[in-house]
């Protein structure tokens, strides 16, 4: 064999060996690449888990609370009002009121066990007290177990709404140490009995599920641990594929590698999906307890806890409201498992099986007060981004009084219905709005945006800018009375035809509502009877710019056009803006910003913002005192005298003003007592006439509202400022009078401005008569 042939044969053998080895090398390289890809994928999953789980775990909606009802001796809260508040809070009537969130009724007394709650100024402990009532007020507080009675008890506030994330998930975060032990034990026993032993995946459960899937030739059983369920809910979704299951298993192992069992279990308690409320997804046991039972998780008993645990398997399929028998069977299965595994006794399970589901018929309504929530959102928008309100879980404490809000809603809806029937108006044609403020603090207590108060549509209380008519007239008289040498409440003003040529050549000729002229009338009567012509004369005399300046001082912030028609109400304002004006009048000339929020806390309870009372002087208090007196006369003897059918107006010192616009398109009433400022507007959205004056329309609704609030109203008795004197005058002449003058009235004057000249009816001064009066 030649050397060339030997070399070819050896080369062939080498090439044959090399040809046979390439599949092995390729497989090795593929395995290495797969391992590298798996490592990279696992590292990516690990990074995702740590970044998302350690960061902000959930987008939490801001929770908005009403004011907290305070009980103390003398508080204007009756027994019925307290029971209504407890119903809103989900308190349960139970003998002895042994647990927080319960109460018992005995005659006129209520035994109450309050809940613990953290406010912006500290934590209110749970208390067990007996509240006694008399004459519609709290008469006494007594410690239920003896000992010293508390001076004040503050209930937990009603949750009135939320600002939701864009995906509308909702939850109430709970800490593991605050969760009922029974819930934790039941969840582990039913869903993952090996939870405390495994490392994220339970091989035995996986094999059981795999065998079930093989027999069914489909993915029919999960075999998932609580950790895997958390991974699915938190990171992956509900897709049922082998790839997703593999990802779930790897992520569960990684999750348990980095975090303890307690952290994982706490996250599960807050993440698990447990129901649907329209667009709102119910996540976590904390919210599910409120959603199904109307009470906190800490107040649930065994049957209710078993039902919640049962819902984990299928919230829609076992929905206790739509499928109560199906839910009952599932609950009883859970109870059987708990008894079998020693979590509860068989006797406890038997008793719990006989218990009703305990589900409230309707989920507790949230965002019940859209008009008020709109005001809160607008005020908070000055400091907080919309995203923060929707995702940071802020706790917002507002000024809303649910009891007063309910009264305002009833007054508007019932009042509108009665007016439509009584005046032959088309049913559903009349609209309205109500704003109620605290006269001392400017806090918004109630806001009703329309005749359908729970409908989150057009907010007429904030956005319906309508001509205010005679509501502007107090500003005219305020502008005049700052000149006491020229104007007093007794100054006579001519009520006769008036024509004013405007800059465009047109003639403005105001007329009174009744088309009558009365001749000379005193200033106080011109305001009380809402006479247009005398008001126009006074406004033109002091100057329209001066009236505009007064409106600004009263709190009107929008641009105003200084035309003569402004003097009679050609100014378009919202009910809230009108309420701001009359709040300044009720406050004696001090301007107080309207506020709907008291404090904002983080989700952890740390304070972010406080909104304390702020006031600043805006008008001469002596002048405001005079106008307030005229507004009280307007209610007693002027256009507002119809309120006497609803209230003891004299005893309460009610002050107020009607407002009516051209063609009877808008009906207004604005008024105040010692502690409440309220404004009512009625009209149509299409601005068509409604045929109602302020007295015939809005005043009736205002009266209904205040009659409902009568037990809580305080008289308006303003502190008389320095520099005021009272003098009796003759309204026919505007001169000083005495008891011999029929129809004379006593009026307040800025010191030194009262008339010195005596009216003809008063007679000459008689020193002997004065001496006789001294000694009588």
């Amino acid at each position: 064999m030649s050397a060339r042939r030997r070399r070819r044969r050896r080369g062939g053998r080498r090439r044959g060996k090399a040809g046979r080895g390439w599949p092995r090398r390729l497989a090795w390289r593929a395995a290495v690449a797969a391992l590298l890809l798996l490592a990279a994928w696992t590292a990516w999953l690990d990074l995702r888990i740590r970044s998302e789980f350690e960061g902000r775990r959930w987008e939490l909606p801001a929770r908005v609370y009403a004011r907290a009802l305070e009980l103390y001796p003398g508080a204007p809260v009756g027994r019925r009002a307290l029971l209504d508040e407890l119903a809103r809070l989900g308190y349960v009537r139970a003998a002895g009121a042994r647990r927080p969130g319960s109460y018992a009724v005995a005659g006129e007394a209520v035994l109450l066990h309050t809940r613990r709650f953290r406010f912006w100024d500290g934590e209110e402990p749970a208390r067990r007290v007996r509240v006694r009532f008399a004459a519609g007020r709290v008469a006494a507080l007594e410690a239920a177990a003896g000992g010293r009675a508390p001076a004040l008890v503050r209930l937990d506030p009603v949750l009135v709404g939320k600002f939701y994330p864009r995906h509308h998930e909702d939850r109430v975060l709970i800490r593991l140490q605050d969760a009922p032990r029974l819930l934790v034990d039941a969840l582990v026993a039913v869903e993952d009995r090996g939870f405390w032993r495994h490392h994220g995946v339970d091989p035995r459960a996986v094999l059981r599920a795999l065998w079930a899937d093989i027999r069914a030739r489909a993915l029919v059983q999960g075999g998932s641990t609580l950790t895997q369920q958390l991974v699915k809910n938190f990171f992956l979704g509900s897709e049922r594929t082998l790839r997703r299951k593999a990802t779930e298993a790897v992520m569960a192992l990684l999750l348990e590698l980095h975090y303890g069992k307690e952290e994982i279990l706490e996250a599960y308690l807050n993440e698990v999906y447990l129901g649907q409320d329209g667009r709102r997804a119910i996540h976590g046991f904390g919210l599910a307890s409120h959603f199904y039972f109307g009470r906190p998780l800490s107040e649930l008993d065994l049957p209710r806890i078993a039902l919640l645990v049962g819902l984990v398997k299928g919230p829609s399929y076992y929905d206790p409201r739509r499928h109560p028998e199906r839910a009952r069977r599932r609950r009883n299965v859970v109870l059987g498992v708990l008894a079998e595994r020693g979590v509860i006794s068989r006797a406890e399970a038997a008793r719990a099986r006989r218990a009703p589901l305990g589900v409230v018929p309707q989920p507790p309504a949230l965002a019940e007060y859209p008009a008020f929530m709109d005001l809160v959102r607008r005020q908070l928008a000055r400091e907080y981004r919309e995203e923060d309100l929707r995702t940071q879980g802020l706790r917002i404490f507002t000024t809303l009084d649910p009891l007063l809000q309910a009264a305002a809603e009833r007054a508007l809806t019932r009042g509108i219905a009665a007016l439509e029937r009584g005046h032959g108006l088309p049913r559903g044609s009349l609209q309205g709005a109500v704003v109620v403020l605290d006269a001392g603090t400017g806090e918004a207590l109630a806001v009703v945006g329309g005749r359908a108060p729970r409908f989150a549509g057009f907010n007429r209380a904030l956005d319906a800018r309508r001509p205010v008519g005679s509501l502007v007239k107090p500003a005219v008289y305020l502008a005049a009375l700052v000149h006491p040498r020229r104007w007093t409440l007794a100054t006579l003003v001519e009520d006769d035809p008036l024509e004013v040529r405007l800059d465009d050549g047109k003639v403005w000729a105001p007329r009174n509502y009744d088309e009558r002229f009365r001749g000379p009338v005193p200033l106080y009567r011109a305001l009380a009877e809402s006479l247009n012509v005398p008001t126009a004369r006074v406004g033109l005399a002091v100057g329209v710019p001066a009236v505009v300046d007064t409106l600004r001082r009263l709190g009107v912030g929008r641009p105003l056009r200084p035309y003569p028609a402004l003097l009679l109400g050609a100014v378009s304002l919202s009910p809230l803006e009108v309420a701001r004006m009359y709040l300044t009048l009720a406050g004696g000339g001090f301007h107080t910003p309207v506020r709907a929020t008291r404090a904002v806390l983080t989700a952890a309870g740390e304070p972010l913002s406080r909104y304390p009372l702020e006031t600043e002087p805006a008008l001469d208090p002596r002048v405001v005192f005079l106008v307030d007196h005229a507004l009280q006369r307007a209610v007693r003897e002027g256009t507002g005298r119809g309120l006497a059918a609803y209230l003891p107006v004299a005893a309460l010192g009610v002050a107020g003003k009607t407002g009516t616009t051209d063609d009877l398109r808008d009906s207004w009433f604005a008024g105040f007592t010692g502690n409440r400022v309220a404004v009512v507007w009625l009209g149509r959205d299409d601005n068509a006439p409604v045929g109602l004056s302020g007295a015939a329309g809005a005043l009736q609704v205002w009266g209904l509202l205040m009659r409902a609030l009568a037990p809580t109203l305080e008289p308006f008795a303003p502190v008389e400022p320095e520099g005021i004197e009272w003098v009796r005058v003759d309204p026919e002449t505007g001169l000083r009078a005495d008891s011999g003058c029929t129809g004379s009235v006593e009026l307040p004057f800025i010191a030194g401005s009262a008339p010195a000249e005596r009216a003809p009816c008063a007679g000459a001064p008689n020193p002997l008569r004065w001496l006789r009066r001294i000694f009588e």
Side-chain angles (χ1 to χ4, degrees):
M1 183 183 294
S2 66
R4 179 179 294 177
R5 291 181 63 186
R6 285 195 299 271
R7 286 196 297 272
R8 278 202 300 268
R9 184 174 294 177
R10 285 196 298 270
R13 285 199 296 269
R14 285 195 298 271
R15 285 193 298 272
K17 289 180 181 179
R20 289 194 300 271
W22 74 265
R24 187 183 308 163
R25 290 194 298 275
L26 183 62
W28 173 251
R29 289 171 182 170
V32 170
L35 287 173
L36 290 174
L37 287 173
L38 179 62
W41 178 64
T42 304
W44 176 77
L45 291 178
D46 187 69
L47 177 64
R48 180 183 174 190
I49 284 173
R50 285 183 289 133
S51 62
E52 294 186 28
F53 200 78
E54 288 180 5
R56 189 177 67 224
R57 301 185 182 182
W58 295 281
E59 288 188 345
L60 299 174
R63 301 169 64 79
V64 183
Y65 295 95
R67 62 91 188 93
L69 184 63
E70 295 183 343
L71 304 174
Y72 53 88
V77 180
R79 176 177 169 274
R80 180 70 262 165
L82 175 59
L83 295 179
D84 287 346
E85 185 85 359
L86 296 179
R88 289 184 176 87
L89 289 168
Y91 277 57
V92 178
R93 188 167 181 171
R98 300 294 176 186
R99 301 180 62 181
S102 63
Y103 70 96
V105 178
E108 284 300 308
V110 175
L111 179 61
L112 178 62
H113 200 150
T114 66
R115 295 170 178 145
R116 184 184 66 179
F117 192 87
R118 185 173 183 179
F119 289 92
W120 66 90
D121 55 355
E123 185 168 286
E124 183 77 15
R127 302 176 188 268
R128 190 162 169 262
V129 296
R130 182 173 286 101
V131 188
R132 298 193 181 278
F133 300 91
R137 291 179 173 265
V138 175
L141 296 179
E142 302 170 356
R148 187 175 180 180
L152 181 145
V153 171
R154 181 164 50 169
L155 300 185
D156 48 313
V158 176
L159 180 66
V160 295
K162 298 183 181 183
F163 298 127
Y164 290 104
R166 289 176 179 81
H167 48 67
H168 273 254
E169 280 191 13
D170 193 10
R171 54 178 52 80
V172 174
L173 289 185
I174 58 172
R175 296 177 299 177
L176 182 61
Q177 59 265 37
D178 296 331
R181 186 65 203 177
L182 178 60
L183 171 65
V184 175
D185 292 344
L187 188 63
V188 171
V190 174
E191 290 294 321
D192 185 5
R193 52 182 159 169
F195 175 75
W196 299 107
R197 298 190 306 271
H198 63 64
H199 299 288
V201 177
D202 188 341
R204 289 177 295 180
V206 171
L207 290 175
R208 286 196 303 269
L210 181 61
W211 177 242
D213 292 345
I214 291 172
R215 286 190 301 172
R217 297 183 180 182
L219 294 174
V220 296
Q221 189 169 323
S224 297
T225 64
L226 287 176
T227 311
Q228 288 174 274
Q229 292 180 40
L230 176 61
V231 166
K232 180 185 71 173
N233 290 327
F234 201 92
F235 299 102
L236 299 178
S238 58
E239 181 187 10
R240 296 179 67 86
T241 64
L242 289 174
R243 177 182 177 183
R244 202 271 296 161
K245 292 292 291 183
T247 303
E248 176 188 293
V250 173
M251 295 182 80
L253 292 169
L254 292 171
L255 194 64
E256 296 242 5
L257 178 66
H258 292 296
Y259 305 101
K261 292 287 188 180
E262 288 77 10
E263 288 180 277
I264 292 171
L265 188 55
E266 182 177 282
Y268 183 93
L269 291 173
N270 289 300
E271 175 62 27
V272 62
Y273 172 71
L274 290 170
Q276 195 73 30
D277 181 22
R279 296 176 59 196
R280 184 171 66 127
I282 307 301
H283 284 262
F285 286 93
L287 179 60
S289 179
H290 288 279
F291 179 68
Y292 290 110
F293 308 116
R295 64 181 75 176
L297 188 61
S298 60
E299 297 176 13
L300 297 192
D301 55 8
L302 171 59
R304 291 177 172 86
I305 287 177
L307 178 57
L308 287 185
V309 172
L311 288 176
V312 171
K313 187 175 182 180
S316 298
Y317 186 79
Y318 296 109
D319 186 329
R321 292 193 180 96
R322 291 188 298 158
H323 311 294
E325 287 306 314
R326 195 182 290 172
R328 187 187 305 276
R329 288 195 297 271
R330 176 61 184 163
R331 181 201 66 179
N332 291 346
V333 168
V334 170
L335 290 170
V337 172
L338 297 183
E340 178 186 338
R341 294 177 182 169
V343 177
I344 60 175
S345 68
R346 296 193 179 278
E348 288 176 313
R351 284 195 301 270
R353 287 191 186 98
R354 294 192 296 269
L357 291 178
V359 176
V360 294
Q362 296 293 330
L366 295 175
E368 287 186 336
Y369 312 109
F372 184 87
M373 290 285 288
D374 196 8
L375 177 60
V376 172
R377 185 194 295 271
R378 295 186 196 192
Q379 293 192 350
L380 290 177
R382 304 167 191 165
E383 299 181 47
Y384 297 93
R385 298 181 305 162
E386 181 74 13
E387 180 183 358
D388 295 333
L389 294 178
R390 290 180 176 272
T391 63
Q392 296 297 319
L394 301 180
R395 301 173 64 206
I396 301 166
F397 293 88
T398 73
T399 60
L400 177 72
D401 184 331
L403 299 174
L404 200 155
Q405 174 78 23
E409 292 176 359
R410 285 193 301 269
L412 183 63
T413 54
R414 294 177 183 178
I416 283 179
L419 289 168
E420 286 179 341
R421 290 193 304 269
H423 292 266
L425 299 173
R427 186 175 180 182
S429 63
L430 194 58
Q431 267 295 352
V434 179
V435 175
V436 185
L437 308 178
D438 185 289
T441 64
E443 292 181 336
L445 305 177
V447 180
V448 187
R451 65 183 296 160
R454 306 301 167 88
F455 176 66
F458 181 53
N459 190 347
R460 295 163 188 83
L462 275 58
D463 297 325
R465 297 184 177 93
R466 305 291 288 251
V468 298
S470 297
L471 296 185
V472 80
K473 288 177 180 176
V476 175
Y477 293 95
L478 285 168
L481 290 167
V482 297
H483 306 288
R485 294 186 179 180
R486 172 68 182 86
W487 304 99
T488 72
L489 290 181
T491 301
L492 298 181
V493 186
E494 290 296 331
D495 181 16
D496 54 13
L498 171 68
E499 292 186 351
V500 179
R501 187 166 297 278
L502 304 177
D503 293 340
D504 59 3
K506 295 182 180 178
V507 174
W508 182 57
R511 294 290 185 271
N512 293 322
Y513 176 75
D514 58 5
E515 297 291 336
R516 293 174 50 228
F517 295 102
R518 294 161 177 78
V521 294
L523 219 67
Y524 79 88
R525 202 160 81 190
L527 178 54
E529 297 182 10
S530 199
L531 301 178
N532 288 339
V533 176
T535 302
R537 289 187 183 278
V538 173
L540 292 171
V542 299
V544 178
V547 176
V548 169
D549 178 66
T550 302
L551 286 169
R552 300 229 176 282
R553 292 173 180 271
L554 284 170
V556 177
R558 67 179 55 258
L560 299 173
R561 306 175 73 178
Y563 295 152
L566 173 143
L567 303 173
L568 302 182
V571 179
S572 293
L573 301 175
S574 70
L576 180 64
E577 289 173 306
V578 172
R580 189 180 298 128
M581 283 177 54
Y582 279 76
L583 177 64
T584 305
L585 291 172
F590 283 81
H591 176 65
T592 303
V594 174
R595 59 191 179 117
T597 307
R598 289 180 174 174
V600 178
L601 307 185
T602 66
E606 298 299 321
L608 286 177
S609 303
R610 289 286 303 275
Y611 301 92
L613 174 65
E614 298 177 358
T615 61
E616 59 179 2
L619 293 161
D620 186 337
R622 300 173 303 170
V623 177
V624 175
F625 186 82
L626 303 184
V627 170
D628 284 351
H629 177 80
L631 292 176
Q632 288 177 309
R633 286 187 171 273
V635 170
R636 293 201 307 267
E637 58 202 46
T639 57
R641 58 186 176 274
L643 281 179
Y646 299 94
L647 292 167
V649 292
L652 285 171
V654 179
K657 185 73 189 72
T658 55
T660 310
T661 59
D662 291 344
D663 300 324
L664 301 178
R665 298 175 189 274
D666 300 274
S667 174
W668 291 87
F669 191 84
F672 46 92
T673 65
N675 61 335
R676 299 289 179 257
V677 175
V679 173
V680 174
W681 166 81
L682 300 179
R684 287 179 54 145
D685 287 339
D686 61 5
N687 201 31
V690 294
L692 296 172
S693 66
L699 179 145
Q700 309 301 320
V701 174
W702 202 94
L704 287 172
L705 169 60
M706 289 302 168
R707 182 166 63 188
L709 303 181
T712 68
L713 296 180
E714 297 174 4
F716 178 62
V719 177
E720 186 176 303
E722 291 186 9
I724 292 291
E725 60 176 338
W726 291 81
V727 174
R728 183 168 293 278
V729 298
D730 172 26
E732 298 299 323
T733 62
L735 301 178
R736 189 179 289 259
D738 62 15
S739 58
C741 293
T742 303
S744 63
V745 296
E746 191 173 28
L747 297 175
F749 292 84
I750 294 176
S753 67
E757 184 180 353
R758 300 176 63 81
C761 61
N766 188 337
L768 293 178
R769 183 174 57 188
W770 292 350
L771 286 173
R772 188 161 50 250
R773 287 181 179 174
I774 292 174
F775 289 105
E776 284 179 349

